Amino acid sequence: MTERDGIFAGTDPFVIAGRWLAEAEQTEPNDPNAIALATVDPDGLPNARMVLLKEIEADSFVFYTNYESAKAAELEAAGKAAFVMHWKSLRRQLRVRGTITRENGPQADEYYASRSLKSRLGAWASKQSQPLSSRTALMADVAKVTAKLGPNPPRPPFWGGYRLTPTEIEFWADGAFRLHDRFRWQRNEPGSAWHVERLNP
């Protein structure tokens, strides 16, 4: 793997991913941690939406959502998901596929507490993915929650995190004449050794 140097260098894909994200935080104008999260519904029809990646751990990626949302239902049913991060300013992207588990403990409590008060109250008020009669109705629900829970609301029992533990990670960088550089890291299961190979553009 003598070609895998420069931005691709390293023996740990999570360290490389963290390094790329840190670079993107210096160049992307908005939400450098945005990911396009892909799931499938019970009929196998794909679904995708943007969410914010909140942590790159030693062996996984963590994001947060409402457990009663459409995405959560699909994550729970399949137990698998994929995402792509694309940084236009860097001309790079990261693709990840793997298994899903909940993060519903102290780590989720800590992240929830770090959010702004309005975001914490909004998490209580929003019945995510359910039909809504009007924005006025939503704001009325926010007002009710604010009056009820006050300035320090606890994390809702229906809101928390998901951890995606990958079996495949691909690092992609733009190349001249569309001859892009792609390196795919694969392993049979979490914790097993990675196999790295270069892919055709």
Side-chain angles (χ1 to χ4, degrees):
M1 299 306 298
T2 55
E3 289 186 301
R4 196 165 54 77
D5 53 14
I7 62 172
F8 296 100
T11 58
D12 185 330
F14 299 97
V15 172
I16 300 171
R19 191 171 69 232
W20 282 25
L21 177 57
E23 289 183 58
E25 288 170 348
Q26 304 303 311
T27 59
E28 288 291 301
N30 293 296
D31 297 329
N33 61 328
I35 61 176
L37 177 68
T39 56
V40 294
D41 71 10
D43 296 321
L45 185 65
N47 217 340
R49 77 291 286 162
M50 303 304 295
V51 301
L52 297 180
L53 181 70
K54 288 302 179 179
E55 295 169 66
I56 299 178
E57 299 182 325
D59 201 45
S60 57
F61 301 87
V62 180
F63 57 92
Y64 294 86
T65 192
N66 186 313
Y67 288 144
E68 296 175 354
S69 65
K71 82 171 74 66
E74 293 172 1
L75 289 168
E76 299 278 354
K80 301 173 185 177
F83 71 75
V84 61
M85 301 182 83
H86 178 245
W87 298 294
K88 196 164 187 174
S89 62
L90 297 179
R91 297 180 179 271
R92 298 181 208 168
Q93 70 178 18
L94 177 70
R95 296 176 60 217
V96 178
R97 301 198 301 164
T99 57
I100 288 288
T101 55
R102 278 195 185 194
E103 171 47 63
N104 198 28
Q107 189 171 330
D109 292 335
E110 182 178 352
Y111 170 66
Y112 178 79
S114 74
R115 304 178 87 205
S116 71
L117 176 58
K118 289 183 178 180
S119 293
R120 282 178 281 156
L121 292 168
W124 274 99
S126 174
K127 299 175 180 63
Q128 196 172 93
S129 302
Q130 300 303 310
L132 177 65
S133 61
S134 67
R135 185 165 184 85
T136 300
L138 176 61
M139 299 314 295
D141 287 340
V142 171
K144 291 175 186 175
V145 166
T146 302
K148 180 180 179 181
L149 298 177
N152 192 27
R155 178 169 64 91
F158 52 83
W159 192 97
Y162 282 104
R163 177 174 284 106
L164 194 160
T165 303
T167 52
E168 184 176 316
I169 302 175
E170 181 190 314
F171 296 90
W172 178 101
D174 182 67
F177 311 110
R178 303 198 67 79
L179 298 178
H180 312 305
D181 290 304
R182 299 172 63 188
F183 288 95
R184 180 173 61 193
W185 297 61
Q186 287 182 307
R187 58 184 178 179
N188 294 328
E189 59 186 9
S192 63
W194 290 101
H195 170 68
V196 188
E197 60 186 347
R198 177 186 276 274
L199 301 179
N200 270 279

